[in-house]
Amino acid sequence: MKMNVLNKEKILILTGNYGDGHNQVAQALHDAIQIRYPSLQPVIFDFMECVHPYSKQFSRFIYLHGVKKFPQLYGYIYQKTRRANKLSNAMKAILSTGVGRMLKLIEQVQPTVVVSTFPLAAAVISKLKSYGLIDIPTVTSITDHTDHSCWIYPFTDQYVVGSNLVRDSLINLGVEDTRITETGIPIRQQFSHSFNRERIFRKYGLDPQMPTLLIMGGGCGMIGEGNATIQGINSLKDPLQLIIVCGHNEKLRMELKEKLKDSKHRIHLTGYITYIHELMAISDLMITKPGGVTTFEAIAMELPMLLYKPIPGQEQDNAKFLVRSGVAVQAESSQDFIEFLSNLMRDKKLLQQMRENTRQFHPKESAFASVEVIMNTKEAKNNWVDVKYMFG
């Protein structure tokens, strides 16, 4: 992102394009700062692009395809490194490289506070502080409904987390409770609006009388078992209106376009879109990967969820949290998946109860609540500097 040459106090927000969640939280914070504090200038930078420009694409490819092709291995490593130990510390040391480039970015931007929505960014910022190279207030926004040692660093001043469950988990991992604030996962402002459902149905040429199912696989378009999942849905007896979002996975979109051309269901097929909030507003149920940000956006839209085959690691943790909260149902097998889907689309009372369960959260204010934590962290640091100056 290019900076405007403005004489404004800057808030540096660091993200990473390993899935869309980190970027969405960064954008949510950016927008909330602009609305609540127009005298400040939030600037977003992709950590990997700035600090590891030559290895960014390769490392992202390895991560995404590793998770997809070897989920059990990923889950094993995730669990083994959940708490601080020799393995997790070794991985942190390997991954928290790029101190020089990060310092150069800090000197260029000259922010008064740094916010990380990506764990590797938090790692390098903490390392800079440990070396005494910077003394800037730092905040980390955790983008899942879970805890992990990859987010936790000794020189992070404040953590904003999605729930009390995550807050308690961080305390169990050794983080002082005064350094953690439960705000909800920050979501973008479009998910906080009210919507005219009839207008949206007309806008996209959809039928307001048909049960509407939204199917999402994240920004990379990994939908359960891909074609097999969609074919299972296609076998349902009662016709549905299917909105299928394939994200950046153009190959999947083209395959589904061919295979579903004779479907008895009404099909609305898209690639990557920026109007998912509108599609959530008109849907009765969403099938999705349990990413922290997407599911919190769905909670804001009071949209019940069916979760299928979460990837071992943070997705499994997210799924447990959502099911326990009563806002989602998880299918363990392809047979369960079709049975649960069929029952949910018929059981209006259960769907209504799931919608009501979303109201225990307050996601519409989560971004603004997080911004207040960021500003309080900045002010607390400034006040401490003033006290040190006064008393030598």
Side-chain angles (χ1 to χ4, degrees):
M1 175 179 176
K2 292 183 178 179
M3 290 182 296
N4 296 322
V5 182
L6 296 173
N7 188 24
K8 283 187 175 184
E9 183 180 321
K10 295 182 178 65
I11 311 296
L12 175 59
I13 304 172
L14 298 171
T15 184
N17 190 22
Y18 283 50
D20 278 357
H22 306 293
N23 288 339
Q24 289 165 359
V25 169
Q27 191 62 51
L29 294 172
H30 175 280
D31 296 347
I33 291 168
Q34 286 196 318
I35 293 168
R36 190 62 58 86
Y37 295 96
S39 62
L40 303 180
Q41 184 183 3
V43 290
I44 299 174
F45 281 91
D46 184 314
F47 168 80
M48 293 299 291
E49 193 171 287
C50 294
V51 176
H52 300 291
Y54 303 110
S55 62
K56 176 195 170 187
Q57 293 300 330
F58 175 73
S59 60
R60 182 174 183 271
F61 175 86
I62 292 296
Y63 169 76
L64 294 175
H65 283 263
V67 168
K68 186 175 181 180
K69 299 292 185 183
F70 306 102
Q72 298 304 322
L73 175 61
Y74 174 80
Y76 176 81
I77 296 172
Y78 184 89
Q79 294 300 339
K80 283 291 184 182
T81 57
R82 182 184 289 276
R83 290 187 171 273
N85 52 42
K86 288 183 178 179
L87 177 59
S88 66
N89 290 336
M91 290 186 67
K92 284 182 178 183
I94 293 168
L95 296 172
S96 61
T97 57
V99 168
R101 284 196 176 96
M102 191 72 253
L103 181 60
K104 187 175 180 181
L105 177 63
I106 296 283
E107 290 171 346
Q108 176 192 354
V109 178
Q110 296 187 343
T112 54
V113 62
V114 178
V115 183
S116 300
T117 70
F118 185 58
L120 298 189
V124 174
I125 292 296
S126 182
K127 186 175 282 189
L128 280 171
K129 293 180 77 171
S130 74
Y131 291 163
L133 295 172
I134 62 172
D135 187 25
I136 303 170
T138 57
V139 179
T140 292
S141 180
I142 296 180
T143 58
D144 284 294
H145 305 292
T146 188
D147 60 280
H148 194 276
S149 65
C150 72
W151 287 103
I152 300 170
Y153 300 94
F155 290 87
T156 298
D157 293 303
Q158 192 69 210
Y159 297 87
V160 291
V161 300
S163 68
N164 277 322
L165 174 67
V166 180
R167 185 179 186 279
D168 292 343
S169 298
L170 290 190
I171 291 171
N172 288 334
L173 290 176
V175 180
E176 300 91 333
D177 61 351
T178 55
R179 294 168 61 204
I180 314 164
T181 308
E182 187 266 312
T183 61
I185 296 174
I187 58 172
R188 293 162 290 166
Q189 289 306 296
Q190 54 260 51
F191 294 92
S192 301
H193 302 155
S194 57
F195 297 89
N196 184 324
R197 287 168 53 90
E198 293 298 321
R199 184 189 65 79
I200 296 172
F201 276 115
R202 288 196 304 271
K203 181 178 179 179
Y204 298 109
L206 298 168
D207 186 348
Q209 304 305 317
M210 290 188 75
T212 301
L213 177 64
L214 175 61
I215 305 170
M216 290 183 61
C220 299
M222 297 184 288
I223 303 171
E225 294 175 329
N227 285 325
T229 301
I230 302 298
Q231 291 303 316
I233 296 170
N234 205 35
S235 70
L236 291 173
K237 185 167 63 174
D238 298 329
L240 300 171
Q241 186 160 243
L242 303 182
I243 304 173
I244 306 172
V245 181
C246 298
H248 300 290
N249 195 334
E250 184 62 15
K251 178 183 176 183
L252 177 63
R253 191 182 74 84
M254 295 305 293
E255 287 176 356
L256 293 178
K257 183 178 180 181
E258 178 63 27
K259 291 186 177 181
L260 294 176
K261 64 183 180 182
D262 298 319
S263 174
K264 62 175 169 290
H265 302 304
R266 186 183 183 116
I267 308 294
H268 182 78
L269 194 61
T270 80
Y272 183 81
I273 56 174
T274 58
Y275 53 88
I276 192 62
H277 52 291
E278 294 185 318
L279 300 183
M280 284 186 177
I282 61 172
S283 298
D284 299 299
L285 178 70
M286 179 171 74
I287 297 172
T288 185
K289 286 161 47 66
V293 180
T294 297
T295 55
F296 213 67
E297 290 170 347
I299 287 170
M301 303 299 293
E302 299 184 3
L303 178 60
M305 290 168 272
L306 173 57
L307 313 174
Y308 181 47
K309 295 214 169 180
I311 294 168
Q314 68 266 36
E315 284 195 6
Q316 282 187 341
D317 290 347
N318 289 340
K320 288 177 186 176
F321 172 80
L322 297 164
V323 171
R324 189 162 54 240
S325 301
V327 299
V329 172
Q330 181 181 350
E332 301 288 350
S333 67
S334 56
Q335 183 176 347
D336 285 347
F337 173 74
I338 297 303
E339 182 181 340
F340 287 0
L341 175 57
S342 181
N343 291 340
L344 282 167
M345 295 307 290
R346 290 192 182 119
D347 193 340
K348 305 299 181 187
K349 191 174 288 188
L350 176 55
L351 286 178
Q352 182 56 34
Q353 182 59 57
M354 293 170 74
R355 287 190 198 96
E356 290 175 7
N357 290 341
T358 64
R359 295 167 195 161
Q360 67 188 285
F361 303 96
H362 301 282
K364 296 183 187 299
E365 290 298 315
S366 57
F368 290 116
S370 298
V371 165
E372 291 309 311
V373 174
I374 292 166
M375 299 308 295
N376 290 339
T377 304
K378 179 175 75 73
E379 292 306 318
K381 187 74 172 182
N382 289 343
N383 292 339
W384 171 242
V385 170
D386 290 344
V387 169
K388 283 180 69 179
Y389 179 77
M390 288 173 60
F391 292 96

